[in-house]
Amino acid sequence: MGTITTQDGTEIFYKDWGTGQPIVFSHGWPLSADDWDTQMLFFLQHGYRVIAHDRRGHGRSTQTGDGHDMDHYADDLAELTAHLDLQDAIHVGHSTGGGEVVHYLARHGESRVSKAALISAVPPLMVKTEANPGGLPKDVFDDLQAQLAANRSKFYRDLPSGPFYGFNRPGVESSEAIIENWWRQGMMGGAKAHYDGIVAFSQTDFTEDLKKITVPVLVMHSEDDQIVPYADAGPLSAKLLANGTLKTYKDFPHGMPTTQAETINADLLAFLKD
């Protein structure tokens, strides 16, 4: 574990375990590197070097008042990979982290990267626009910001208790431990970063970024994702990628790397060994 200080003075916390080909994990909003515990232990045991950082304003990184946008997220990731001098790296992003990975590859190039995977990821664009009629109305995201500003702790209980992990679906058994861990990670971060992050993940258009990427990319998305709706995300990203493969799940939730870790890890490993 360690930290780097970026060009604008932000301290980024990261974990770096093992040796071998590096896998870099980018977490979702409003979580931290801890959200990848299951994946990091799994891939470490399979001979990979595993790295995960806390995005600026999240987890143990600096709670900066600004810079909560995809440009800064991608640049912070680029500084981390340069600091560690990573080569032949695999980048895996969940949700907002998927946007971070896509923007990093398009903005900083692929010279250090061999493959990538996008899990329940936000690209190409979440918000509804004239060019993106299948997106979610902006007031959906405005409401998320309002809930965060009013009572962040309650909001961070309600989201994992319901749609994030599909615990609101009939017959799905809820896990208090998973809910509490989500809340814990969220509350470690800064309210300003999380408030601004809602705009970053919902309004950033990754269409042109996706078109620039040439490395093999596995796009993993569930048809029952209640946070990033399937039809306007996974399939569209896979089509825009030069070398994209879409892996569709039927009943998994948005947070499937946690609740369906065994399946997700196995499918990721198969892609990395392919």
Side-chain angles (χ1 to χ4, degrees):
M1 293 186 283
T3 60
I4 63 162
T5 302
T6 65
Q7 289 182 357
D8 70 353
T10 301
E11 193 171 83
I12 301 293
F13 171 91
Y14 68 92
K15 309 174 192 183
D16 181 1
W17 304 338
T19 57
Q21 187 177 16
I23 307 177
V24 184
F25 295 95
S26 291
H27 65 76
W29 173 98
L31 304 172
S32 74
D34 294 355
D35 204 44
W36 292 110
D37 283 353
T38 310
Q39 282 69 42
M40 290 185 72
L41 290 171
F42 176 86
F43 285 99
L44 182 65
Q45 291 164 0
H46 281 82
Y48 291 89
R49 176 184 177 186
V50 292
I51 299 155
H53 66 293
D54 291 353
R55 188 169 298 122
R56 64 169 55 214
H58 296 63
R60 291 138 294 203
S61 292
T62 305
Q63 292 194 13
T64 53
D66 54 15
H68 307 297
D69 54 71
M70 282 294 163
D71 285 354
H72 280 85
Y73 296 167
D75 293 351
D76 291 347
L77 181 56
E79 288 201 49
L80 177 62
T81 59
H83 173 78
L84 298 175
D85 193 24
L86 302 183
Q87 306 294 336
D88 197 32
I90 299 144
H91 281 264
V92 180
H94 176 245
S95 196
T96 299
E100 177 179 286
V101 168
V102 165
H103 202 51
Y104 160 73
L105 290 172
R107 188 171 167 90
H108 293 278
E110 303 170 334
S111 62
R112 296 182 179 274
V113 181
S114 61
K115 288 184 176 180
L118 309 176
I119 309 174
S120 314
V122 297
L125 173 62
M126 281 197 74
V127 74
K128 183 177 182 178
T129 63
E130 282 188 19
N132 186 45
L136 295 169
K138 183 176 176 292
D139 59 18
V140 169
F141 304 106
D142 294 342
D143 181 59
L144 295 180
Q145 286 187 311
Q147 290 184 66
L148 187 154
N151 190 334
R152 188 164 66 122
S153 181
K154 182 180 185 303
F155 180 40
Y156 287 3
R157 286 283 306 179
D158 293 345
L159 204 57
S161 298
F164 197 94
Y165 292 114
F167 293 152
N168 56 343
R169 292 298 196 217
V172 176
E173 184 178 351
S174 180
S175 166
E176 186 63 23
I178 288 175
I179 294 166
E180 287 186 2
N181 192 40
W182 200 101
W183 178 90
R184 176 192 69 84
Q185 290 179 71
M187 294 305 291
M188 283 171 66
K192 180 64 161 58
H194 296 166
Y195 187 89
D196 293 352
I198 293 170
V199 173
F201 75 65
S202 66
Q203 294 185 28
T204 304
D205 189 342
F206 300 96
T207 301
E208 295 307 313
D209 288 346
L210 289 160
K211 292 177 184 177
K212 293 177 183 175
I213 297 170
T214 61
V215 296
V217 181
L218 178 63
V219 180
M220 310 167 81
H221 218 111
S222 174
E223 293 176 352
D224 196 40
D225 192 320
Q226 298 176 69
I227 304 296
V228 182
Y230 174 82
D232 201 53
L236 299 186
S237 288
K239 285 180 184 176
L240 288 164
L241 289 159
N243 197 358
T245 302
L246 178 64
K247 177 79 175 176
T248 299
Y249 304 89
K250 185 171 174 58
D251 299 317
F252 288 4
H254 181 68
M256 60 187 184
T258 297
T259 56
Q260 269 76 29
E262 191 173 333
T263 300
I264 298 303
N265 291 350
D267 290 348
L268 257 179
L269 184 62
F271 169 67
L272 300 191
K273 290 189 173 300
D274 186 18

